[in-house]
């Protein structure tokens, strides 16, 4: 099992609805593959927390040709991009929001706003520019994740 990668940078925000009744290792693995397989080749690593729902991480990683990593327990700093994105999402949906009341359209609108927001970490480019440019080879993004 691999541990946390030395440097990680989330290039795109994704949101999906997974009903509470579906949280299991098998279904989480299937959902991960379904969401990430179309981006195969663009997804290099997957960083997970230590929940039992990620027991199928090896098969999911192989299916999308990505390495999987786990954070150390209680080290949210190792999931910096994730924690930062959660904070950005909370600007639109405060803690305690009942997501059953949030429409898919509202969720897509917030995801689009987050993906169209320039990020210091990406040299003030928007995630779509870096993701699409890196994926297609059209942009030189070799140092994008290293900008302090």
């Amino acid at each position: 099992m691999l541990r946390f990668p030395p440097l990680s940078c989330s290039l795109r925000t994704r949101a999906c609805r997974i009903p509470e009744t579906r949280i299991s290792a098998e279904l989480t693995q299937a959902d991960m593959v379904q969401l990430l397989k179309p981006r195969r080749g663009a997804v290099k690593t997957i960083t997970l927390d230590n929940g039992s729902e990620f027991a199928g991480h090896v098969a999911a990683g192989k299916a999308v040709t990505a390495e999987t990593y786990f954070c150390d327990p209680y080290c949210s700093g190792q999931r910096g991009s994730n924690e930062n994105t959660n904070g950005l999402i909370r600007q639109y949906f405060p803690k305690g929001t009942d997501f059953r009341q949030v429409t898919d359209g509202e969720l897509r609108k917030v995801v689009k706003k987050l993906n169209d927001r320039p990020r210091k970490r990406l040299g003030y480019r928007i995630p779509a520019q870096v993701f699409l440019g890196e994926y297609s080879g059209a942009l030189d993004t070799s140092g994008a994740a290293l900008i302090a």
Side-chain angles (χ1 to χ4, degrees), residues 24-140:
S24 71
E26 297 81 18
L27 292 169
T28 299
Q29 174 189 331
D31 287 342
M32 285 173 57
V33 171
Q34 180 182 356
L35 288 168
L36 298 175
K37 203 162 191 176
R39 292 153 191 88
R40 190 179 193 170
V43 176
K44 306 292 184 201
T45 63
I46 304 169
T47 304
L48 308 165
D49 63 21
N50 292 296
S52 62
E53 68 273 17
F54 297 116
H57 68 92
V58 173
K62 284 182 182 177
V64 298
T65 61
E67 292 189 53
T68 56
Y69 295 89
F70 286 90
C71 297
D72 293 317
Y74 308 106
C75 292
S76 60
Q78 292 179 345
R79 301 178 351 166
S81 294
N82 173 263
E83 297 299 326
N84 181 57
T85 301
N86 288 347
L88 295 174
I89 290 169
R90 292 282 175 227
Q91 292 176 359
Y92 299 95
F93 304 113
K95 199 169 195 106
T97 297
D98 183 354
F99 280 92
R100 292 172 295 192
Q101 304 300 316
V102 177
T103 67
D104 288 342
E106 290 172 307
L107 194 57
R108 277 192 297 275
K109 194 183 302 186
V110 169
V111 168
K112 181 168 177 19
K113 283 182 181 181
L114 292 178
N115 283 332
D116 289 345
R117 183 180 182 152
R119 308 277 172 94
K120 180 179 180 181
R121 184 110 177 132
L122 302 176
Y124 295 100
R125 291 176 286 179
I126 65 171
Q129 287 175 308
V130 176
F131 179 81
L132 296 173
E134 191 169 273
Y135 190 57
S136 70
L139 292 175
D140 175 22

